[in-house]
Amino acid sequence: MLDLKYVAQNFDAVVARLQSRGGSLDLGPFKSLVSERRDLYVAMESLSARRNTANEEMKRKAKEDPAALEALRGEMRTVSQTIKEKEARLKEVEEELSRILLVIPNIPHESVPVGGGAEDNVQVRSWGEKPNLPFTPKQHFELGEKLGMLDFERAAKVSGSRFAFYKGALARLERALVSFMIDVHTPKGYVEMLPPYLVLRETMMGTGQLPKFEEDAFKTVGEPERFLIPTSEVPVTNYHADEILDGDQLPRKYCAFSPCFRAEAGSAGKDTRGLIRQHQFHKVELVKFATPDTSLDELEKMTDDACDILRRLGLHHRVMLLCTGDMGFGARKTYDIEVWLPGQGTYREISSCSDCGDFQARRAKIRYRAQKGDKPQLLHTLNGSGLAVGRTTIAILENYQREDGSIAIPEALVPYMGGLKELRPM
RNA sequence: GGAGAGCUGGCCGAGUGGUCGAAGGCACCUGACUCGAAAUCAGGCAUACCGGGAACGGUAUCGUAGGUUCGAAUCCUACGCUCUCCGCCA
């Protein structure tokens, strides 16, 4: 959420910056609501001040002058009534304002290239090379099914489309990747976290998934309603909601494994085969809480921490700086890491690392105190996949495939696989 | 799910209709004392918004939302959360 005062004071500049993200932006009656809000506050405050002084008088007159007390009581009755009416209107105005503010995306940082979509993203670096496979590489789902280790048909029977059963050594590989990733991150200062997978509406509001993207989330029935997390960014970022952290404890770094649940509304027909786009997948997420002056630097480090996993697995990848039109709702700057998939013959996103500035912190009320005695101020939140586990499994299948359909296991994972060095049909 | 107790400032905790933004303590900051520190003493110390150059003044906030009242931390209603006991359960 953007700062009300900031938007009001820099209205045209803000609108211009937001339009670079593309899409429609309707700030509606924002400006008139802001001035009405202000007028209401002024009126209410002077009425309240009047009531408070009258109450002082009444305390005294209660004993000395019962007649005057009655007169005052009558007057105050109407004053109180007026205050209540103004209060009611103010509530409406504020609700309307926050309805508007809550669906405004973050303002892109000035270092973000302006562009309309993925084609305007800028490659900032790459690592490794495409593997030189002397045969026509297969896609991961074909490899997985031939191994007898991926079963989409039975998953559809049990759960509908966009689900999968992993079996045998491939299930173990997914589990091994989780442990491996966490073990790489924690020595770098990320505190391991196992978060709740169901969260309240206000938690989804805090990180920006709601109110705008409700159709993307799975929701439980019954009271209170809860949402299946689309990423552990949601519970972990909100872990510090309504808190004031000490400046000398920043940055705080967390690393959380969780399944992620996404309705994938609006992606009908996209990536329908295989593991690329499922309703449920695993992710190891990195979350940081940083001071405003360090957050961009922390974003660079976080992106590199995510890349480190791919380097250790020997997977060729590139880092893309997203343009204004391709960034997520809460981000002010985002790097996507794209891994090379030989079977698909394309790069696919395997991680997305974002600096959200104070956008989420304002929603979730996460602040810090730079020095003892200083005023609390909003901190900056960052999050990034480190990595999407299912897509890492895909990358291993496609990059380490052999002509006979077996899969070599990257050396770094062998200890996590109990010494197993390859996947063979079961 | 049932019964009971509770929810007050960074923390602990007093406060049952006006004198309460809220005693006292801890923590923290400043000053005195000290070579320095500890101890002690004095003072300060919530957040947000509005007005003001500032000093300062105003308004709101005692789990949340309503209600009663001229006036609510205090009374009433609902809800949430925490703790204890019982039941159930991986």
mmCIF file with all atom_site columns, all heavy atoms in Angstrom, chain A residues 84-108:
data_model
loop_
_atom_site.group_PDB
_atom_site.id
_atom_site.type_symbol
_atom_site.label_atom_id
_atom_site.label_alt_id
_atom_site.label_comp_id
_atom_site.label_asym_id
_atom_site.label_entity_id
_atom_site.label_seq_id
_atom_site.pdbx_PDB_ins_code
_atom_site.Cartn_x
_atom_site.Cartn_y
_atom_site.Cartn_z
_atom_site.occupancy
_atom_site.B_iso_or_equiv
_atom_site.pdbx_formal_charge
_atom_site.auth_seq_id
_atom_site.auth_comp_id
_atom_site.auth_asym_id
_atom_site.auth_atom_id
_atom_site.pdbx_PDB_model_num
ATOM 1   N N   . LYS A 1 84  ? -21.091 12.041 16.152  1.00 0.00 ? 84  LYS A N   1
ATOM 2   C CA  . LYS A 1 84  ? -21.360 10.673 15.705  1.00 0.00 ? 84  LYS A CA  1
ATOM 3   C C   . LYS A 1 84  ? -21.656 10.621 14.210  1.00 0.00 ? 84  LYS A C   1
ATOM 4   O O   . LYS A 1 84  ? -21.220 9.694  13.515  1.00 0.00 ? 84  LYS A O   1
ATOM 5   C CB  . LYS A 1 84  ? -22.537 10.080 16.483  1.00 0.00 ? 84  LYS A CB  1
ATOM 6   C CG  . LYS A 1 84  ? -22.072 9.413  17.756  1.00 0.00 ? 84  LYS A CG  1
ATOM 7   C CD  . LYS A 1 84  ? -23.190 8.703  18.488  1.00 0.00 ? 84  LYS A CD  1
ATOM 8   C CE  . LYS A 1 84  ? -22.701 8.267  19.864  1.00 0.00 ? 84  LYS A CE  1
ATOM 9   N NZ  . LYS A 1 84  ? -23.806 7.893  20.750  1.00 0.00 ? 84  LYS A NZ  1
ATOM 10  N N   . GLU A 1 85  ? -22.392 11.625 13.741  1.00 0.00 ? 85  GLU A N   1
ATOM 11  C CA  . GLU A 1 85  ? -22.705 11.650 12.305  1.00 0.00 ? 85  GLU A CA  1
ATOM 12  C C   . GLU A 1 85  ? -21.435 11.831 11.478  1.00 0.00 ? 85  GLU A C   1
ATOM 13  O O   . GLU A 1 85  ? -21.230 11.165 10.474  1.00 0.00 ? 85  GLU A O   1
ATOM 14  C CB  . GLU A 1 85  ? -23.700 12.779 12.000  1.00 0.00 ? 85  GLU A CB  1
ATOM 15  C CG  . GLU A 1 85  ? -25.132 12.438 12.408  1.00 0.00 ? 85  GLU A CG  1
ATOM 16  C CD  . GLU A 1 85  ? -26.009 13.669 12.579  1.00 0.00 ? 85  GLU A CD  1
ATOM 17  O OE1 . GLU A 1 85  ? -25.604 14.763 12.118  1.00 0.00 ? 85  GLU A OE1 1
ATOM 18  O OE2 . GLU A 1 85  ? -27.099 13.536 13.190  1.00 0.00 ? 85  GLU A OE2 1
ATOM 19  N N   . LYS A 1 86  ? -20.596 12.775 11.936  1.00 0.00 ? 86  LYS A N   1
ATOM 20  C CA  . LYS A 1 86  ? -19.339 13.017 11.214  1.00 0.00 ? 86  LYS A CA  1
ATOM 21  C C   . LYS A 1 86  ? -18.475 11.761 11.248  1.00 0.00 ? 86  LYS A C   1
ATOM 22  O O   . LYS A 1 86  ? -17.818 11.415 10.264  1.00 0.00 ? 86  LYS A O   1
ATOM 23  C CB  . LYS A 1 86  ? -18.566 14.177 11.852  1.00 0.00 ? 86  LYS A CB  1
ATOM 24  C CG  . LYS A 1 86  ? -19.363 15.474 11.892  1.00 0.00 ? 86  LYS A CG  1
ATOM 25  C CD  . LYS A 1 86  ? -18.767 16.516 10.967  1.00 0.00 ? 86  LYS A CD  1
ATOM 26  C CE  . LYS A 1 86  ? -19.521 17.820 11.038  1.00 0.00 ? 86  LYS A CE  1
ATOM 27  N NZ  . LYS A 1 86  ? -19.768 18.384 9.698   1.00 0.00 ? 86  LYS A NZ  1
ATOM 28  N N   . GLU A 1 87  ? -18.484 11.110 12.380  1.00 0.00 ? 87  GLU A N   1
ATOM 29  C CA  . GLU A 1 87  ? -17.697 9.895  12.546  1.00 0.00 ? 87  GLU A CA  1
ATOM 30  C C   . GLU A 1 87  ? -18.126 8.832  11.543  1.00 0.00 ? 87  GLU A C   1
ATOM 31  O O   . GLU A 1 87  ? -17.298 8.172  10.918  1.00 0.00 ? 87  GLU A O   1
ATOM 32  C CB  . GLU A 1 87  ? -17.920 9.346  13.957  1.00 0.00 ? 87  GLU A CB  1
ATOM 33  C CG  . GLU A 1 87  ? -16.664 9.096  14.740  1.00 0.00 ? 87  GLU A CG  1
ATOM 34  C CD  . GLU A 1 87  ? -16.984 8.854  16.217  1.00 0.00 ? 87  GLU A CD  1
ATOM 35  O OE1 . GLU A 1 87  ? -18.149 8.524  16.543  1.00 0.00 ? 87  GLU A OE1 1
ATOM 36  O OE2 . GLU A 1 87  ? -16.079 9.025  17.027  1.00 0.00 ? 87  GLU A OE2 1
ATOM 37  N N   . ALA A 1 88  ? -19.440 8.705  11.411  1.00 0.00 ? 88  ALA A N   1
ATOM 38  C CA  . ALA A 1 88  ? -19.979 7.699  10.505  1.00 0.00 ? 88  ALA A CA  1
ATOM 39  C C   . ALA A 1 88  ? -19.551 8.003  9.073   1.00 0.00 ? 88  ALA A C   1
ATOM 40  O O   . ALA A 1 88  ? -19.142 7.113  8.323   1.00 0.00 ? 88  ALA A O   1
ATOM 41  C CB  . ALA A 1 88  ? -21.496 7.660  10.614  1.00 0.00 ? 88  ALA A CB  1
ATOM 42  N N   . ARG A 1 89  ? -19.635 9.276  8.699   1.00 0.00 ? 89  ARG A N   1
ATOM 43  C CA  . ARG A 1 89  ? -19.249 9.660  7.354   1.00 0.00 ? 89  ARG A CA  1
ATOM 44  C C   . ARG A 1 89  ? -17.738 9.451  7.156   1.00 0.00 ? 89  ARG A C   1
ATOM 45  O O   . ARG A 1 89  ? -17.299 8.970  6.113   1.00 0.00 ? 89  ARG A O   1
ATOM 46  C CB  . ARG A 1 89  ? -19.629 11.133 7.100   1.00 0.00 ? 89  ARG A CB  1
ATOM 47  C CG  . ARG A 1 89  ? -19.186 11.695 5.772   1.00 0.00 ? 89  ARG A CG  1
ATOM 48  C CD  . ARG A 1 89  ? -19.737 10.906 4.591   1.00 0.00 ? 89  ARG A CD  1
ATOM 49  N NE  . ARG A 1 89  ? -19.105 11.308 3.329   1.00 0.00 ? 89  ARG A NE  1
ATOM 50  C CZ  . ARG A 1 89  ? -19.015 10.535 2.253   1.00 0.00 ? 89  ARG A CZ  1
ATOM 51  N NH1 . ARG A 1 89  ? -19.509 9.314  2.267   1.00 0.00 ? 89  ARG A NH1 1
ATOM 52  N NH2 . ARG A 1 89  ? -18.421 10.978 1.160   1.00 0.00 ? 89  ARG A NH2 1
ATOM 53  N N   . LEU A 1 90  ? -16.978 9.806  8.184   1.00 0.00 ? 90  LEU A N   1
ATOM 54  C CA  . LEU A 1 90  ? -15.532 9.632  8.101   1.00 0.00 ? 90  LEU A CA  1
ATOM 55  C C   . LEU A 1 90  ? -15.180 8.165  7.864   1.00 0.00 ? 90  LEU A C   1
ATOM 56  O O   . LEU A 1 90  ? -14.300 7.840  7.068   1.00 0.00 ? 90  LEU A O   1
ATOM 57  C CB  . LEU A 1 90  ? -14.871 10.125 9.395   1.00 0.00 ? 90  LEU A CB  1
ATOM 58  C CG  . LEU A 1 90  ? -13.348 9.992  9.437   1.00 0.00 ? 90  LEU A CG  1
ATOM 59  C CD1 . LEU A 1 90  ? -12.703 10.904 8.406   1.00 0.00 ? 90  LEU A CD1 1
ATOM 60  C CD2 . LEU A 1 90  ? -12.806 10.296 10.820  1.00 0.00 ? 90  LEU A CD2 1
ATOM 61  N N   . LYS A 1 91  ? -15.903 7.297  8.546   1.00 0.00 ? 91  LYS A N   1
ATOM 62  C CA  . LYS A 1 91  ? -15.657 5.876  8.393   1.00 0.00 ? 91  LYS A CA  1
ATOM 63  C C   . LYS A 1 91  ? -15.889 5.456  6.942   1.00 0.00 ? 91  LYS A C   1
ATOM 64  O O   . LYS A 1 91  ? -15.082 4.718  6.368   1.00 0.00 ? 91  LYS A O   1
ATOM 65  C CB  . LYS A 1 91  ? -16.578 5.097  9.329   1.00 0.00 ? 91  LYS A CB  1
ATOM 66  C CG  . LYS A 1 91  ? -16.114 3.700  9.621   1.00 0.00 ? 91  LYS A CG  1
ATOM 67  C CD  . LYS A 1 91  ? -17.033 3.035  10.633  1.00 0.00 ? 91  LYS A CD  1
ATOM 68  C CE  . LYS A 1 91  ? -16.932 1.523  10.508  1.00 0.00 ? 91  LYS A CE  1
ATOM 69  N NZ  . LYS A 1 91  ? -17.957 0.853  11.322  1.00 0.00 ? 91  LYS A NZ  1
ATOM 70  N N   . GLU A 1 92  ? -16.971 5.947  6.371   1.00 0.00 ? 92  GLU A N   1
ATOM 71  C CA  . GLU A 1 92  ? -17.251 5.642  4.962   1.00 0.00 ? 92  GLU A CA  1
ATOM 72  C C   . GLU A 1 92  ? -16.120 6.134  4.068   1.00 0.00 ? 92  GLU A C   1
ATOM 73  O O   . GLU A 1 92  ? -15.643 5.418  3.191   1.00 0.00 ? 92  GLU A O   1
ATOM 74  C CB  . GLU A 1 92  ? -18.540 6.347  4.514   1.00 0.00 ? 92  GLU A CB  1
ATOM 75  C CG  . GLU A 1 92  ? -19.825 5.700  4.989   1.00 0.00 ? 92  GLU A CG  1
ATOM 76  C CD  . GLU A 1 92  ? -21.044 6.560  4.628   1.00 0.00 ? 92  GLU A CD  1
ATOM 77  O OE1 . GLU A 1 92  ? -20.929 7.425  3.721   1.00 0.00 ? 92  GLU A OE1 1
ATOM 78  O OE2 . GLU A 1 92  ? -22.089 6.379  5.255   1.00 0.00 ? 92  GLU A OE2 1
ATOM 79  N N   . VAL A 1 93  ? -15.730 7.391  4.301   1.00 0.00 ? 93  VAL A N   1
ATOM 80  C CA  . VAL A 1 93  ? -14.693 8.003  3.476   1.00 0.00 ? 93  VAL A CA  1
ATOM 81  C C   . VAL A 1 93  ? -13.395 7.206  3.574   1.00 0.00 ? 93  VAL A C   1
ATOM 82  O O   . VAL A 1 93  ? -12.737 6.917  2.575   1.00 0.00 ? 93  VAL A O   1
ATOM 83  C CB  . VAL A 1 93  ? -14.472 9.468  3.888   1.00 0.00 ? 93  VAL A CB  1
ATOM 84  C CG1 . VAL A 1 93  ? -13.228 10.039 3.234   1.00 0.00 ? 93  VAL A CG1 1
ATOM 85  C CG2 . VAL A 1 93  ? -15.693 10.311 3.513   1.00 0.00 ? 93  VAL A CG2 1
ATOM 86  N N   . GLU A 1 94  ? -13.046 6.838  4.798   1.00 0.00 ? 94  GLU A N   1
ATOM 87  C CA  . GLU A 1 94  ? -11.784 6.114  4.977   1.00 0.00 ? 94  GLU A CA  1
ATOM 88  C C   . GLU A 1 94  ? -11.850 4.728  4.359   1.00 0.00 ? 94  GLU A C   1
ATOM 89  O O   . GLU A 1 94  ? -10.872 4.250  3.811   1.00 0.00 ? 94  GLU A O   1
ATOM 90  C CB  . GLU A 1 94  ? -11.439 6.036  6.466   1.00 0.00 ? 94  GLU A CB  1
ATOM 91  C CG  . GLU A 1 94  ? -11.261 7.424  7.054   1.00 0.00 ? 94  GLU A CG  1
ATOM 92  C CD  . GLU A 1 94  ? -10.151 7.494  8.082   1.00 0.00 ? 94  GLU A CD  1
ATOM 93  O OE1 . GLU A 1 94  ? -10.258 6.774  9.087   1.00 0.00 ? 94  GLU A OE1 1
ATOM 94  O OE2 . GLU A 1 94  ? -9.210  8.279  7.882   1.00 0.00 ? 94  GLU A OE2 1
ATOM 95  N N   . GLU A 1 95  ? -13.006 4.100  4.468   1.00 0.00 ? 95  GLU A N   1
ATOM 96  C CA  . GLU A 1 95  ? -13.144 2.780  3.849   1.00 0.00 ? 95  GLU A CA  1
ATOM 97  C C   . GLU A 1 95  ? -12.993 2.881  2.337   1.00 0.00 ? 95  GLU A C   1
ATOM 98  O O   . GLU A 1 95  ? -12.332 2.058  1.709   1.00 0.00 ? 95  GLU A O   1
ATOM 99  C CB  . GLU A 1 95  ? -14.498 2.158  4.203   1.00 0.00 ? 95  GLU A CB  1
ATOM 100 C CG  . GLU A 1 95  ? -14.444 1.400  5.520   1.00 0.00 ? 95  GLU A CG  1
ATOM 101 C CD  . GLU A 1 95  ? -15.822 0.981  6.023   1.00 0.00 ? 95  GLU A CD  1
ATOM 102 O OE1 . GLU A 1 95  ? -16.802 1.114  5.255   1.00 0.00 ? 95  GLU A OE1 1
ATOM 103 O OE2 . GLU A 1 95  ? -15.896 0.521  7.179   1.00 0.00 ? 95  GLU A OE2 1
ATOM 104 N N   . GLU A 1 96  ? -13.598 3.917  1.793   1.00 0.00 ? 96  GLU A N   1
ATOM 105 C CA  . GLU A 1 96  ? -13.517 4.095  0.347   1.00 0.00 ? 96  GLU A CA  1
ATOM 106 C C   . GLU A 1 96  ? -12.074 4.372  -0.075  1.00 0.00 ? 96  GLU A C   1
ATOM 107 O O   . GLU A 1 96  ? -11.594 3.838  -1.065  1.00 0.00 ? 96  GLU A O   1
ATOM 108 C CB  . GLU A 1 96  ? -14.426 5.254  -0.073  1.00 0.00 ? 96  GLU A CB  1
ATOM 109 C CG  . GLU A 1 96  ? -15.067 5.042  -1.422  1.00 0.00 ? 96  GLU A CG  1
ATOM 110 C CD  . GLU A 1 96  ? -16.229 6.011  -1.639  1.00 0.00 ? 96  GLU A CD  1
ATOM 111 O OE1 . GLU A 1 96  ? -17.015 6.236  -0.683  1.00 0.00 ? 96  GLU A OE1 1
ATOM 112 O OE2 . GLU A 1 96  ? -16.323 6.550  -2.737  1.00 0.00 ? 96  GLU A OE2 1
ATOM 113 N N   . LEU A 1 97  ? -11.394 5.203  0.715   1.00 0.00 ? 97  LEU A N   1
ATOM 114 C CA  . LEU A 1 97  ? -9.999  5.516  0.423   1.00 0.00 ? 97  LEU A CA  1
ATOM 115 C C   . LEU A 1 97  ? -9.136  4.265  0.496   1.00 0.00 ? 97  LEU A C   1
ATOM 116 O O   . LEU A 1 97  ? -8.287  4.038  -0.361  1.00 0.00 ? 97  LEU A O   1
ATOM 117 C CB  . LEU A 1 97  ? -9.476  6.572  1.405   1.00 0.00 ? 97  LEU A CB  1
ATOM 118 C CG  . LEU A 1 97  ? -9.706  8.020  0.993   1.00 0.00 ? 97  LEU A CG  1
ATOM 119 C CD1 . LEU A 1 97  ? -9.325  8.938  2.147   1.00 0.00 ? 97  LEU A CD1 1
ATOM 120 C CD2 . LEU A 1 97  ? -8.915  8.374  -0.253  1.00 0.00 ? 97  LEU A CD2 1
ATOM 121 N N   . SER A 1 98  ? -9.356  3.450  1.523   1.00 0.00 ? 98  SER A N   1
ATOM 122 C CA  . SER A 1 98  ? -8.477  2.297  1.628   1.00 0.00 ? 98  SER A CA  1
ATOM 123 C C   . SER A 1 98  ? -8.839  1.267  0.564   1.00 0.00 ? 98  SER A C   1
ATOM 124 O O   . SER A 1 98  ? -7.970  0.547  0.089   1.00 0.00 ? 98  SER A O   1
ATOM 125 C CB  . SER A 1 98  ? -8.477  1.720  3.042   1.00 0.00 ? 98  SER A CB  1
ATOM 126 O OG  . SER A 1 98  ? -9.649  1.005  3.277   1.00 0.00 ? 98  SER A OG  1
ATOM 127 N N   . ARG A 1 99  ? -10.117 1.236  0.168   1.00 0.00 ? 99  ARG A N   1
ATOM 128 C CA  . ARG A 1 99  ? -10.462 0.356  -0.961  1.00 0.00 ? 99  ARG A CA  1
ATOM 129 C C   . ARG A 1 99  ? -9.643  0.734  -2.189  1.00 0.00 ? 99  ARG A C   1
ATOM 130 O O   . ARG A 1 99  ? -9.175  -0.127 -2.919  1.00 0.00 ? 99  ARG A O   1
ATOM 131 C CB  . ARG A 1 99  ? -11.954 0.484  -1.298  1.00 0.00 ? 99  ARG A CB  1
ATOM 132 C CG  . ARG A 1 99  ? -12.795 -0.685 -0.815  1.00 0.00 ? 99  ARG A CG  1
ATOM 133 C CD  . ARG A 1 99  ? -14.112 -0.771 -1.566  1.00 0.00 ? 99  ARG A CD  1
ATOM 134 N NE  . ARG A 1 99  ? -14.930 0.415  -1.429  1.00 0.00 ? 99  ARG A NE  1
ATOM 135 C CZ  . ARG A 1 99  ? -15.671 0.694  -0.352  1.00 0.00 ? 99  ARG A CZ  1
ATOM 136 N NH1 . ARG A 1 99  ? -15.682 -0.131 0.666   1.00 0.00 ? 99  ARG A NH1 1
ATOM 137 N NH2 . ARG A 1 99  ? -16.379 1.804  -0.290  1.00 0.00 ? 99  ARG A NH2 1
ATOM 138 N N   . ILE A 1 100 ? -9.502  2.027  -2.398  1.00 0.00 ? 100 ILE A N   1
ATOM 139 C CA  . ILE A 1 100 ? -8.721  2.493  -3.550  1.00 0.00 ? 100 ILE A CA  1
ATOM 140 C C   . ILE A 1 100 ? -7.238  2.181  -3.348  1.00 0.00 ? 100 ILE A C   1
ATOM 141 O O   . ILE A 1 100 ? -6.585  1.584  -4.202  1.00 0.00 ? 100 ILE A O   1
ATOM 142 C CB  . ILE A 1 100 ? -8.919  4.006  -3.767  1.00 0.00 ? 100 ILE A CB  1
ATOM 143 C CG1 . ILE A 1 100 ? -10.369 4.297  -4.177  1.00 0.00 ? 100 ILE A CG1 1
ATOM 144 C CG2 . ILE A 1 100 ? -7.959  4.521  -4.834  1.00 0.00 ? 100 ILE A CG2 1
ATOM 145 C CD1 . ILE A 1 100 ? -10.725 5.781  -4.206  1.00 0.00 ? 100 ILE A CD1 1
ATOM 146 N N   . LEU A 1 101 ? -6.728  2.550  -2.187  1.00 0.00 ? 101 LEU A N   1
ATOM 147 C CA  . LEU A 1 101 ? -5.287  2.387  -1.932  1.00 0.00 ? 101 LEU A CA  1
ATOM 148 C C   . LEU A 1 101 ? -4.852  0.923  -1.962  1.00 0.00 ? 101 LEU A C   1
ATOM 149 O O   . LEU A 1 101 ? -3.755  0.599  -2.409  1.00 0.00 ? 101 LEU A O   1
ATOM 150 C CB  . LEU A 1 101 ? -4.925  2.988  -0.572  1.00 0.00 ? 101 LEU A CB  1
ATOM 151 C CG  . LEU A 1 101 ? -4.691  4.505  -0.540  1.00 0.00 ? 101 LEU A CG  1
ATOM 152 C CD1 . LEU A 1 101 ? -4.420  4.947  0.895   1.00 0.00 ? 101 LEU A CD1 1
ATOM 153 C CD2 . LEU A 1 101 ? -3.527  4.903  -1.430  1.00 0.00 ? 101 LEU A CD2 1
ATOM 154 N N   . LEU A 1 102 ? -5.730  0.041  -1.470  1.00 0.00 ? 102 LEU A N   1
ATOM 155 C CA  . LEU A 1 102 ? -5.340  -1.362 -1.346  1.00 0.00 ? 102 LEU A CA  1
ATOM 156 C C   . LEU A 1 102 ? -5.175  -2.064 -2.686  1.00 0.00 ? 102 LEU A C   1
ATOM 157 O O   . LEU A 1 102 ? -4.573  -3.129 -2.747  1.00 0.00 ? 102 LEU A O   1
ATOM 158 C CB  . LEU A 1 102 ? -6.356  -2.125 -0.487  1.00 0.00 ? 102 LEU A CB  1
ATOM 159 C CG  . LEU A 1 102 ? -6.223  -1.892 1.022   1.00 0.00 ? 102 LEU A CG  1
ATOM 160 C CD1 . LEU A 1 102 ? -7.422  -2.480 1.762   1.00 0.00 ? 102 LEU A CD1 1
ATOM 161 C CD2 . LEU A 1 102 ? -4.930  -2.495 1.550   1.00 0.00 ? 102 LEU A CD2 1
ATOM 162 N N   . VAL A 1 103 ? -5.723  -1.504 -3.740  1.00 0.00 ? 103 VAL A N   1
ATOM 163 C CA  . VAL A 1 103 ? -5.579  -2.166 -5.037  1.00 0.00 ? 103 VAL A CA  1
ATOM 164 C C   . VAL A 1 103 ? -4.597  -1.430 -5.949  1.00 0.00 ? 103 VAL A C   1
ATOM 165 O O   . VAL A 1 103 ? -4.452  -1.774 -7.115  1.00 0.00 ? 103 VAL A O   1
ATOM 166 C CB  . VAL A 1 103 ? -6.939  -2.349 -5.749  1.00 0.00 ? 103 VAL A CB  1
ATOM 167 C CG1 . VAL A 1 103 ? -7.845  -3.230 -4.903  1.00 0.00 ? 103 VAL A CG1 1
ATOM 168 C CG2 . VAL A 1 103 ? -7.605  -1.013 -6.021  1.00 0.00 ? 103 VAL A CG2 1
ATOM 169 N N   . ILE A 1 104 ? -3.931  -0.407 -5.414  1.00 0.00 ? 104 ILE A N   1
ATOM 170 C CA  . ILE A 1 104 ? -2.892  0.271  -6.184  1.00 0.00 ? 104 ILE A CA  1
ATOM 171 C C   . ILE A 1 104 ? -1.581  -0.490 -6.009  1.00 0.00 ? 104 ILE A C   1
ATOM 172 O O   . ILE A 1 104 ? -1.171  -0.754 -4.889  1.00 0.00 ? 104 ILE A O   1
ATOM 173 C CB  . ILE A 1 104 ? -2.703  1.723  -5.701  1.00 0.00 ? 104 ILE A CB  1
ATOM 174 C CG1 . ILE A 1 104 ? -4.003  2.509  -5.890  1.00 0.00 ? 104 ILE A CG1 1
ATOM 175 C CG2 . ILE A 1 104 ? -1.559  2.388  -6.459  1.00 0.00 ? 104 ILE A CG2 1
ATOM 176 C CD1 . ILE A 1 104 ? -3.926  3.925  -5.359  1.00 0.00 ? 104 ILE A CD1 1
ATOM 177 N N   . PRO A 1 105 ? -0.917  -0.850 -7.116  1.00 0.00 ? 105 PRO A N   1
ATOM 178 C CA  . PRO A 1 105 ? 0.343   -1.589 -6.997  1.00 0.00 ? 105 PRO A CA  1
ATOM 179 C C   . PRO A 1 105 ? 1.476   -0.675 -6.529  1.00 0.00 ? 105 PRO A C   1
ATOM 180 O O   . PRO A 1 105 ? 1.318   0.543  -6.478  1.00 0.00 ? 105 PRO A O   1
ATOM 181 C CB  . PRO A 1 105 ? 0.597   -2.091 -8.414  1.00 0.00 ? 105 PRO A CB  1
ATOM 182 C CG  . PRO A 1 105 ? -0.115  -1.127 -9.297  1.00 0.00 ? 105 PRO A CG  1
ATOM 183 C CD  . PRO A 1 105 ? -1.297  -0.632 -8.521  1.00 0.00 ? 105 PRO A CD  1
ATOM 184 N N   . ASN A 1 106 ? 2.598   -1.288 -6.201  1.00 0.00 ? 106 ASN A N   1
ATOM 185 C CA  . ASN A 1 106 ? 3.749   -0.511 -5.738  1.00 0.00 ? 106 ASN A CA  1
ATOM 186 C C   . ASN A 1 106 ? 4.339   0.308  -6.890  1.00 0.00 ? 106 ASN A C   1
ATOM 187 O O   . ASN A 1 106 ? 4.183   -0.031 -8.061  1.00 0.00 ? 106 ASN A O   1
ATOM 188 C CB  . ASN A 1 106 ? 4.815   -1.455 -5.178  1.00 0.00 ? 106 ASN A CB  1
ATOM 189 C CG  . ASN A 1 106 ? 5.752   -0.737 -4.225  1.00 0.00 ? 106 ASN A CG  1
ATOM 190 O OD1 . ASN A 1 106 ? 5.662   0.477  -4.031  1.00 0.00 ? 106 ASN A OD1 1
ATOM 191 N ND2 . ASN A 1 106 ? 6.647   -1.498 -3.619  1.00 0.00 ? 106 ASN A ND2 1
ATOM 192 N N   . ILE A 1 107 ? 5.006   1.384  -6.526  1.00 0.00 ? 107 ILE A N   1
ATOM 193 C CA  . ILE A 1 107 ? 5.668   2.227  -7.523  1.00 0.00 ? 107 ILE A CA  1
ATOM 194 C C   . ILE A 1 107 ? 7.018   1.605  -7.854  1.00 0.00 ? 107 ILE A C   1
ATOM 195 O O   . ILE A 1 107 ? 7.813   1.341  -6.960  1.00 0.00 ? 107 ILE A O   1
ATOM 196 C CB  . ILE A 1 107 ? 5.884   3.649  -6.959  1.00 0.00 ? 107 ILE A CB  1
ATOM 197 C CG1 . ILE A 1 107 ? 4.524   4.292  -6.649  1.00 0.00 ? 107 ILE A CG1 1
ATOM 198 C CG2 . ILE A 1 107 ? 6.677   4.492  -7.933  1.00 0.00 ? 107 ILE A CG2 1
ATOM 199 C CD1 . ILE A 1 107 ? 4.628   5.618  -5.926  1.00 0.00 ? 107 ILE A CD1 1
ATOM 200 N N   . PRO A 1 108 ? 7.291   1.364  -9.141  1.00 0.00 ? 108 PRO A N   1
ATOM 201 C CA  . PRO A 1 108 ? 8.570   0.749  -9.517  1.00 0.00 ? 108 PRO A CA  1
ATOM 202 C C   . PRO A 1 108 ? 9.750   1.655  -9.133  1.00 0.00 ? 108 PRO A C   1
ATOM 203 O O   . PRO A 1 108 ? 9.645   2.874  -9.204  1.00 0.00 ? 108 PRO A O   1
ATOM 204 C CB  . PRO A 1 108 ? 8.471   0.627  -11.038 1.00 0.00 ? 108 PRO A CB  1
ATOM 205 C CG  . PRO A 1 108 ? 7.021   0.743  -11.363 1.00 0.00 ? 108 PRO A CG  1
ATOM 206 C CD  . PRO A 1 108 ? 6.426   1.611  -10.299 1.00 0.00 ? 108 PRO A CD  1
#
